[in-house]
Amino acid sequence: MGKIIAPLTETQVRNAKPREKNYKLFDGGGLFLDVATTGSRIWRLKFRQKNRKENTLTFGHYPEISLLEAREKRLEARRLMARGVDPAEYRDDLKRLAADKAANTFERIAREWYTNKIPTWSERTAKNMLLRLEADIFDQIGDRPIGELKHRDIIATLRKIEARGASEIAHRMKAVCSQIFSYAIQCGLADRNLVVDMKDVLKTRRASHFAAIDADELPMFLKVLERNEARMFKPTRIALRLMLLVFVRTSELIETPWSEVNLEKCEWIIPWQRMKRGKLTVNPDMTDHHVCLSRQACELLRELHAITGGGKYLFPNQRDPRKPISNNTILVALARMGYKGRMTGHGFRALAMSTIKERLGYRHEVVDRQLAHAPKDKVASAYDRAQFLAERHRMMQDWADYIDSVAADGQQK
């Protein structure tokens, strides 16, 4: 029969003083207070593992862990043993889980998600995404374990972006955070996507289009451009005229190398890899885009070639000619002309689409293909390539002639 041990009292534990050697005060059931010569008092539990070997659990220091708390921990350990669970292994598992949880911060998981997404993005998209995450998200919640984040943490982060007037960015980053949570769930690192529930936490965005003047405002725009009271450089004025004449996307114009333009044949073909739909990761459109130059557009390109033809790009960056001008060049030029908030680079496309259909009578499909929009189906795509090119050439010449007539009428008035 085992020795009966009288339970400890709070007074015994409180008055346990250091001696010349370490000693133990037993409470029964394997629990004891280990009193060191230094005066430290530590609760420990002695138990037998499944292989009958003795092992010891440490519960913590007294008085941080009281006698009552130490007994509760002993009870928890004995319950584990009754279920066949080694309490020491269970403790180690908990430590590992806690360490993993602490390591799985929002930033670490977000960067892992970002790395996986890079192959599906353009270089510019990848760069902008990382800049946004670092500037707006990581600084707020990046060091927090993703499993510990609450709705209020995400909401406060997004509303801070919104508060500076960047509503569009706030909504975009909300969608990005949702994707990161979804990734964490798939990796077993989170149980719930907090952002899915956040339908009304940000101010509702009003549907908007890119600012664009209409056909009736075109005469005044041409007059302002001709007067050049904004004192813009020649290449910038040519860029604006080309945007009006050929209405390609801003990036497609400013990033054009001279190697794509054949001035002798008056031909400009943009390789599909540079087109918006050519950059799609899934089912990219591998059709080169014929810009279909009018006589006036060709004259402008020849004029531009005399200025920048010695370099790589039509519109080289002044600071580093090895690079093209920035996307903001067109917007800044329009602002200097007095059209800030009234016209954008994309606005030239909207202006051409509406005016060519309404005033020149061309079919939507022809203008749409000139805009390099996606055909609705493969049959339409094949017909497009086979039949629309000649019609588009006529349309682009008619459009250039229309602009000349509008400019002439404006000068006479």
Side-chain angles (χ1 to χ4, degrees), residues 109-306:
I109 295 169
R111 288 186 181 276
E112 191 175 297
W113 167 83
Y114 170 83
T115 301
N116 288 347
K117 296 286 287 184
I118 284 178
T120 69
W121 292 330
S122 67
E123 183 179 350
R124 178 180 297 166
T125 299
K127 181 180 178 181
N128 289 340
M129 178 63 71
L130 186 57
L131 287 174
R132 287 268 67 87
L133 283 169
E134 290 177 341
D136 293 324
I137 305 298
F138 294 163
D139 188 51
Q140 302 299 314
I141 58 172
D143 61 348
R144 300 276 300 279
I146 195 166
E148 293 183 1
L149 288 170
K150 307 296 183 186
H151 285 83
R152 62 178 177 271
D153 302 317
I154 311 298
I155 294 170
T157 299
L158 295 173
R159 283 182 175 169
K160 187 173 182 179
I161 302 172
E162 188 180 56
R164 69 169 190 260
S167 177
E168 181 67 28
I169 293 177
H171 280 273
R172 288 180 188 173
M173 296 316 296
K174 174 173 170 283
V176 168
C177 288
S178 180
Q179 291 183 52
I180 293 169
F181 268 100
S182 177
Y183 174 79
I185 292 170
Q186 293 171 60
C187 293
L189 304 175
D191 299 321
R192 184 182 178 189
N193 189 336
L194 301 180
V195 188
V196 170
D197 301 331
M198 299 180 188
K199 300 186 184 300
D200 303 309
V201 298
L202 295 176
K203 295 175 183 176
T204 303
R205 292 174 294 179
R206 301 182 69 179
S208 62
H209 300 282
F210 292 101
I213 61 173
D214 58 32
D216 291 333
E217 296 174 279
L218 183 56
M220 180 55 69
F221 178 86
L222 292 170
K223 188 178 293 186
V224 173
L225 182 58
E226 179 65 27
R227 288 176 180 171
N228 192 28
E229 293 176 357
R231 302 175 66 84
M232 295 180 290
F233 292 119
K234 189 75 172 182
T236 304
R237 301 204 308 275
I238 291 176
L240 290 170
R241 286 194 173 276
L242 284 173
M243 288 290 290
L244 183 60
L245 285 169
V246 299
F247 46 89
V248 293
R249 296 179 178 90
T250 305
S251 62
E252 291 162 3
L253 176 72
I254 66 175
E255 295 173 5
T256 297
W258 279 111
S259 58
E260 290 180 7
V261 180
N262 187 324
L263 291 175
E264 291 183 6
K265 295 182 179 180
C266 192
E267 186 177 74
W268 176 11
I269 300 175
I270 303 178
W272 63 268
Q273 294 91 337
R274 277 213 311 119
M275 299 300 294
K276 181 178 180 180
R277 289 189 53 75
K279 295 176 182 178
L280 295 175
T281 305
V282 180
N283 297 324
D285 185 347
M286 293 185 285
T287 306
D288 295 340
H289 181 60
H290 290 253
V291 178
C292 297
L293 298 172
S294 62
R295 182 185 68 259
Q296 292 90 329
C298 288
E299 290 172 359
L300 278 176
L301 286 170
R302 291 190 183 100
E303 188 177 350
L304 181 64
H305 190 267

Side-chain angles (χ1 to χ4, degrees), residues 304-320:
L304 181 64
H305 190 267
I307 305 171
T308 67
K312 178 180 179 180
Y313 293 103
L314 272 65
F315 301 99
N317 190 299
Q318 287 187 345
R319 293 182 179 178
D320 186 356

